[in-house]
Amino acid sequence: MEKALINGTGIAYKVERAGATAPWLVFSNSLITDHSIWDAQAAEFGKRFNLLRYDQRGHGQSDIPETPLNFDTLGADLLALMDTVGIHTATAVGLSMGVPTVFSAYNMAPDRFDALILMDGQAASAVNAFDTWQTRIDTAKAIGMEAFGKATASRWLTPDSHADKRDRLANMISATDFSGFEACAGALQGYDYRHVLAACQVPVLALAGRSDGAMPETMERYCREIANAEFHAIDDAGHVPCYEQASAVNDAIAAFLKKTEAHS
């Protein structure tokens, strides 16, 4: 991992290059995970694409925020990191919290993106989001990140998910500093990028774990507002399908990228 000063904060990132002329994939992680949530995608696509993975503020090896966050800041981080690495345009891939991060970045600089891949995330916070996230913040503070990690991993994964996979995810969540979680959860309490849906002019792939509550219906509804979008539900997956059902997600991404390359 390398580290760069991005908008006044140290952001940890990892670049893997397939070649000087290879297109770029840029991955934005979810709340309480780090860049390694994309390991299976990096292994699959690293031979044909240049890859940028990073830890959003307060996560992984990136610095802990000292002030409250919003997605304008997190989207600006993504664009500034692309500048640092020398990426003019890329396909952005966002998971959960990474979805509004990608929407924010696209809203500020749509010409920097060839396509968007959005996974288990929303264009706007739900009506009851403030109270929901405040409860989760209060719970994590009360029981500690280790116990919170175990509970969240069980909630995010389907019951049939292998114990080793559950433990690895729990450990990733538990390693997140509480202050980093609190700052980014605060950003999730109130945001709205729904105006980006109708304005979006690049191809969009939306994916959601079929067992992730109302998320499949929400993302499918968003796709109807985007000019060039397709939606796929991932069977036997909850909130992190790129991790839980990596092969199915990789197949969907590969098919989408093949189509976007053919029409570029």
Side-chain angles (χ1 to χ4, degrees), residues 20 67 73 78 80 91 110 128 134 171-172 187 196 199 204 228 237 243 253:
T67 57
T73 298
L78 173 54
T91 293
N128 60 344
Q134 192 59 51
N171 290 337
M172 192 188 307
V196 177
V204 172
N228 184 9
Y243 175 82
I253 292 175

Side-chain angles (χ1 to χ4, degrees), residues 8-9 57-58 63-69 179-180 183:
T9 295
R57 292 182 182 225
D63 289 355
I64 307 302
E66 296 181 358
T67 57
L69 289 179
S179 295

Side-chain angles (χ1 to χ4, degrees), residues 116-180:
L116 308 180
I117 299 173
L118 311 173
M119 200 175 309
D120 290 79
Q122 302 186 137
S125 52
V127 174
N128 60 344
F130 186 92
D131 291 339
T132 298
W133 283 111
Q134 192 59 51
T135 296
R136 290 175 183 171
I137 292 168
D138 293 343
T139 299
K141 186 174 184 178
I143 68 176
M145 291 302 292
E146 182 176 357
F148 186 72
K150 291 178 180 178
T152 302
S154 294
R155 181 166 55 85
W156 280 5
L157 299 176
T158 58
D160 292 334
S161 188
H162 196 279
D164 288 347
K165 187 167 288 189
R166 192 178 307 276
D167 289 345
R168 182 187 162 207
L169 181 60
N171 290 337
M172 192 188 307
I173 295 169
S174 300
T176 306
D177 187 278
F178 170 76
S179 295

Side-chain angles (χ1 to χ4, degrees), residues 8-168:
T9 295
I11 301 294
Y13 68 97
K14 183 174 185 178
V15 171
E16 296 157 281
R17 297 181 185 271
T21 61
W24 282 92
L25 296 178
V26 175
F27 296 89
S28 188
N29 60 289
S30 73
L31 186 72
I32 47 180
T33 68
D34 58 34
H35 74 282
S36 68
I37 198 72
W38 303 109
D39 279 353
Q41 287 67 53
E44 176 69 20
F45 297 105
K47 293 182 180 179
R48 293 196 304 113
F49 293 85
N50 294 325
L51 309 178
L52 168 63
R53 293 185 283 164
Y54 73 107
D55 297 335
Q56 295 211 61
R57 292 182 182 225
H59 292 70
Q61 298 178 42
S62 291
D63 289 355
I64 307 302
E66 296 181 358
T67 57
L69 289 179
N70 58 50
F71 281 102
D72 289 346
T73 298
L74 295 174
D77 285 348
L78 173 54
L79 292 170
L81 188 56
M82 289 171 63
D83 290 341
T84 297
V85 175
I87 302 170
H88 178 62
T89 60
T91 293
V93 190
L95 171 67
S96 190
M97 180 178 77
V99 170
T101 297
V102 167
F103 275 135
S104 172
Y106 181 84
N107 185 52
M108 288 185 278
D111 59 316
R112 304 294 300 275
F113 299 98
D114 303 312
L116 308 180
I117 299 173
L118 311 173
M119 200 175 309
D120 290 79
Q122 302 186 137
S125 52
V127 174
N128 60 344
F130 186 92
D131 291 339
T132 298
W133 283 111
Q134 192 59 51
T135 296
R136 290 175 183 171
I137 292 168
D138 293 343
T139 299
K141 186 174 184 178
I143 68 176
M145 291 302 292
E146 182 176 357
F148 186 72
K150 291 178 180 178
T152 302
S154 294
R155 181 166 55 85
W156 280 5
L157 299 176
T158 58
D160 292 334
S161 188
H162 196 279
D164 288 347
K165 187 167 288 189
R166 192 178 307 276
D167 289 345
R168 182 187 162 207

